[in-house]
Amino acid sequence: MDEAILTSDKPSNSSPLNPPSRSICHVCQKQFSQYTCPRCNSRYCSLQCYKSHSLQCTESFMRENVVEELQQMQPDDETKQKMLDILKRFHSEEETDSMDVDDSTLTEETIQKILSGDQISFDDLSAEEKKRFQRAIASGELSKMIEPWEPWWLKPSARRISLSKEGTQLVQPLAEHEASVSLQDDDLESYQSSEIPHGPESPLPPVSKLSSAVPSPLLAVHLVDILYSYCFTLRLYNGDWQSDAIGSALVVLSMSSVLGQGGQPETVLEALSYCLEQICSPAYRHMGGLQFGLGLIDDVISLLSLGSSALVCLLSDMCRLIQAGERELKTEKQKKLRRVEIRSKLKFAERKIYFIMCWVYEQPSEAWSSLATIVEAEKSSVMNYGGNKQSVKMNNTSETKGKVLIEEIE
């Protein structure tokens, strides 16, 4: 009996007792199909047909997601104004660069809407504008036009942080609606302290109540690792980790050997070397590579120079970051085993951060200036050895304890 030939888009239900019917490739319409696209279930016969089909499928997927995201967005007035400023700046730069070109990036109608402050949706764009918009997203052009975030630890208010004897925030930040009503012009400077992450909401217990063991002398080294991962995460998200809590939490875990791998670095150089290795990895190299990584060491030094109060506020903010990641993880569509694994790591990280926060608050203030000096010295040694090279190799820290951890590649 001849085999049936199908051209329907419906997937076939095959089994060992019910052999699959033969179907024609949906791309070339010439050969029998042997494969199925995992996204649209279209049948194809060869790699060439898959590539041709895959491009269409990918563009369709991207377009659908962009449209859906734009339709679901309900921006507030501040978000609208920020986007309007970005689009105006984007159009101004494009107009400057394309003065001799006849076709404009945006149509006159769209430009007028932008300049008048009207809300623009994806459907309002012309076909050419949609293509340009999608290319701008993919290439990162729009992200370059967002004003850089100024880290809170570099602001003058970071040097005026005060905590109670129990380690809690002395002045709790006002809610937004209360602040807008009650703040006068003279109070703006004091209100700017809300830019600083607020400290713990409940008193910090003594370390002796958390553990009967004597705190490890390596906690100072572990603190450097944790501070570095925090600074990187906030710079990566331009200071807004709340926009992607689970993503931010996973970045912290990937950057910190102490929190993500349960590592026990024994020297400041070992802790910094692991962090620099992650910075130079393909996942984060786009941030600036080694030079960017060395700049983050300056962030760590700045934080240590601020003293215990700033460090406690930072660690308290990290606890909130991890906790928000845990809550968001519950709504993520992850495989059960993967979700359990991530949740276990986040729980461990939260406990570790809280313990170090309690330990930090018990330390004398002079401890942090000494640690800052050590970090600065190790940065200098890294730069003198291979920091000015474009390509560096990080050795396995488990095999090179006590040795130089960064060597240049010829």
Side-chain angles (χ1 to χ4, degrees):
M1 182 177 179
D2 295 337
E3 294 177 310
I5 298 178
L6 303 178
T7 58
S8 173
D9 291 337
K10 296 181 180 179
S12 60
N13 298 321
S14 60
S15 67
L17 298 179
N18 181 25
S21 300
R22 305 291 294 277
S23 58
I24 294 296
C25 173
H26 290 183
V27 181
C28 68
Q29 299 289 327
K30 296 178 180 179
Q31 303 293 332
F32 288 117
S33 63
Q34 302 181 43
Y35 313 101
T36 303
C37 172
R39 165 163 167 74
C40 64
N41 290 328
S42 292
R43 304 283 297 185
Y44 61 93
C45 64
S46 63
L47 179 60
Q48 182 178 359
C49 286
Y50 172 75
K51 288 181 178 179
S52 176
H53 150 267
S54 179
L55 180 61
Q56 300 172 8
C57 191
T58 303
E59 290 180 349
S60 173
F61 176 72
M62 178 180 179
R63 181 169 57 254
E64 290 173 4
N65 278 271
V66 170
V67 172
E68 181 180 357
E69 184 67 22
L70 289 174
Q71 290 176 345
Q72 292 180 355
M73 287 177 61
Q74 298 294 334
D76 53 21
D77 293 339
E78 182 180 358
T79 304
K80 291 179 182 178
Q81 186 60 44
K82 286 182 180 180
M83 182 55 68
L84 177 62
D85 294 340
I86 291 173
L87 290 173
K88 285 181 180 178
R89 191 159 60 251
F90 177 70
H91 172 65
S92 177
E93 293 185 6
E94 284 289 323
E95 192 176 51
T96 303
D97 295 339
S98 309
M99 290 183 64
D100 298 330
V101 181
D102 293 336
D103 58 329
S104 175
T105 301
L106 300 175
T107 62
E108 185 65 27
E109 182 182 357
T110 303
I111 294 173
Q112 291 302 323
K113 284 185 178 181
I114 293 173
L115 295 179
S116 62
D118 292 340
Q119 186 173 349
I120 304 296
S121 68
F122 188 77
D123 292 332
D124 293 330
L125 303 178
S126 66
E128 181 61 28
E129 288 170 347
K130 291 177 180 179
K131 291 180 180 179
R132 290 177 180 272
F133 179 72
Q134 290 170 347
R135 285 198 295 267
I137 293 176
S139 64
E141 291 180 33
L142 291 181
S143 62
K144 293 178 182 177
M145 305 185 71
I146 300 176
E147 294 184 5
W149 169 71
E150 182 183 3
W152 62 262
W153 53 86
L154 299 181
K155 296 179 181 292
S157 54
R159 298 190 174 277
R160 301 192 296 269
I161 302 175
S162 298
L163 300 178
S164 68
K165 292 182 179 180
E166 295 80 18
T168 55
Q169 190 87 23
L170 280 176
V171 179
Q172 295 292 339
L174 293 173
E176 290 186 7
H177 67 280
E178 294 178 358
S180 61
V181 173
S182 61
L183 284 181
Q184 303 297 325
D185 292 340
D186 297 339
D187 297 327
L188 287 178
E189 182 176 355
S190 61
Y191 179 63
Q192 288 177 353
S193 61
S194 63
E195 298 172 343
I196 310 300
H198 56 83
E201 298 179 357
S202 56
L204 297 177
V207 173
S208 57
K209 289 188 176 181
L210 299 177
S211 174
S212 58
V214 178
S216 170
L218 299 178
L219 287 181
V221 176
H222 297 178
L223 176 64
V224 172
D225 170 279
I226 293 172
L227 295 180
Y228 193 104
S229 66
Y230 176 85
C231 294
F232 172 77
T233 303
L234 261 67
R235 285 195 177 273
L236 178 65
Y237 282 90
N238 212 38
D240 185 21
W241 62 257
Q242 294 92 341
S243 62
D244 183 11
I246 183 60
S248 301
L250 293 177
V251 169
V252 168
L253 295 183
S254 67
M255 185 57 56
S256 169
S257 66
V258 173
L259 300 178
Q261 307 296 328
Q264 299 286 327
E266 297 180 1
T267 65
V268 170
L269 179 58
E270 185 179 342
L272 293 177
S273 295
Y274 180 89
C275 294
L276 290 173
E277 181 179 1
Q278 306 312 307
I279 289 287
C280 295
S281 68
Y284 300 124
R285 195 179 299 157
H286 66 281
M287 290 293 292
L290 183 63
Q291 293 305 315
F292 174 72
L294 293 173
L296 288 171
I297 300 179
D298 293 331
D299 286 333
V300 174
I301 295 171
S302 298
L303 281 162
L304 291 171
S305 67
L306 294 176
S308 298
S309 295
L311 296 176
V312 168
C313 288
L314 179 150
L315 294 168
S316 180
D317 195 39
M318 281 197 80
C319 280
R320 289 188 288 270
L321 186 157
I322 298 296
Q323 291 167 354
E326 292 182 75
R327 290 193 297 269
E328 192 171 294
L329 182 64
K330 295 179 181 179
T331 62
E332 285 285 316
K333 294 182 179 179
Q334 296 272 357
K335 291 183 178 180
K336 184 176 181 180
L337 292 177
R338 176 66 174 160
R339 187 166 59 247
V340 171
E341 178 186 358
I342 296 175
R343 186 172 181 273
S344 176
K345 288 187 175 182
L346 292 178
K347 282 292 185 184
F348 171 81
E350 181 183 354
R351 291 193 298 268
K352 182 74 174 182
I353 294 170
Y354 185 77
F355 182 86
I356 289 187
M357 179 169 60
C358 296
W359 172 81
V360 162
Y361 195 64
E362 293 183 355
Q363 305 310 304
S365 57
E366 56 269 17
W368 310 125
S369 57
S370 300
L371 184 56
T373 302
I374 295 173
V375 173
E376 191 168 7
E378 294 295 9
K379 178 192 175 184
S380 299
S381 67
V382 169
M383 294 181 66
N384 292 335
Y385 187 82
N388 293 324
K389 303 296 181 181
Q390 291 183 349
S391 180
V392 297
K393 176 183 179 182
M394 307 297 174
N395 291 329
N396 190 318
T397 56
S398 64
E399 299 176 359
T400 57
K401 290 181 180 179
K403 301 179 182 179
V404 176
L405 299 177
I406 303 179
E407 65 179 31
E408 64 179 283
I409 297 177
E410 300 295 342

